[in-house]
Amino acid sequence: MKHGVCIVECFDKSDPGSEGRVLKEIFNLMQIESVLVRVKSIENLFEQIAESEMKYVHVSTHGAETDSRTFGGWWTHKGTGTRKWVQQQDIDLSCTAIVSTACRSGTTSFGKYLVDTMGCKYYIGPTGCPNFYNAALFSHLYYHKLFKTRRTVQAAFYSYEASYKNPHGFKMFRKTAA
């Protein structure tokens, strides 16, 4: 796998900007290999994650909320990646880490499912609802730590968590030993 980031983005026309474009520019400035892929369907979103040649995947989309205001899945124009939908797919996520900035996507059930069942080594997502600028700031700080100072997913995340207020409750999930 290539040492870089695949940014998978699905944004709504009402969004204040493209988090993917911001990240792509940050990676260019840091001289980190990256690719920005825009998707419209949940099938394509998971397809792009599964087929990525990059060690790291960044999912930039919205989190669909249930009636009880909990995470219902990753949103796209053509469907939502609910846990039930994801469980019915035959997808192997062999990337090292997935970072999501979708609202409430850092729920324990979703995070553990991605790492323990679908094969991703690490998953990071917020338990709250970050604004566009909060998501971009978290991502910039985390990826700077990952690629420039700390060099491992765990060290980069724990450094972020220890150094900043983490107002949106970003959480990291790690694959448990089989």
Side-chain angles (χ1 to χ4, degrees), residues 12-13 33 38 65 81 84 87 107-108 121 125 127 129 145 149 154 162 178:
D12 190 57
K13 62 183 176 184
E33 187 174 359
R38 296 229 166 91
E65 290 186 345
K84 183 178 179 180
Q87 287 174 323
T107 62
T108 300
K121 293 177 187 168
T127 57
C129 291
K145 290 176 178 300
T149 63
Q154 283 183 265

Side-chain angles (χ1 to χ4, degrees), residues 94-109:
S94 59
C95 57
T96 298
I98 296 174
V99 174
S100 170
T101 52
C103 286
R104 304 189 196 290
S105 61
T107 62
T108 300
S109 63

Side-chain angles (χ1 to χ4, degrees), residues 62-91:
H62 291 278
E65 290 186 345
T66 64
D67 291 339
S68 60
R69 298 193 45 85
T70 59
F71 181 66
W74 280 327
W75 170 89
T76 69
H77 298 279
K78 298 177 183 174
T80 300
T82 63
R83 179 150 175 213
K84 183 178 179 180
W85 181 88
V86 172
Q87 287 174 323
Q88 295 171 353
Q89 308 309 304
D90 184 24
I91 303 170

Side-chain angles (χ1 to χ4, degrees), residues 38-144:
R38 296 229 166 91
V39 299
K40 295 273 187 186
S41 71
I42 196 62
E43 292 86 2
N44 194 230
L45 187 145
F46 273 95
E47 191 175 275
Q48 294 298 323
I49 295 171
E51 292 176 1
S52 175
E53 295 179 355
M54 301 293 189
K55 287 176 72 170
Y56 307 101
V57 174
H58 185 96
V59 176
S60 173
T61 189
H62 291 278
E65 290 186 345
T66 64
D67 291 339
S68 60
R69 298 193 45 85
T70 59
F71 181 66
W74 280 327
W75 170 89
T76 69
H77 298 279
K78 298 177 183 174
T80 300
T82 63
R83 179 150 175 213
K84 183 178 179 180
W85 181 88
V86 172
Q87 287 174 323
Q88 295 171 353
Q89 308 309 304
D90 184 24
I91 303 170
D92 178 26
L93 303 179
S94 59
C95 57
T96 298
I98 296 174
V99 174
S100 170
T101 52
C103 286
R104 304 189 196 290
S105 61
T107 62
T108 300
S109 63
F110 190 70
K112 286 187 178 239
Y113 187 78
L114 287 177
V115 296
D116 289 336
T117 304
M118 297 191 78
C120 183
K121 293 177 187 168
Y122 296 94
Y123 174 70
I124 298 170
T127 57
C129 291
N131 293 318
F132 171 80
Y133 54 87
N134 291 124
L137 182 59
F138 162 77
S139 299
H140 178 239
L141 292 168
Y142 168 75
Y143 288 120
H144 181 267

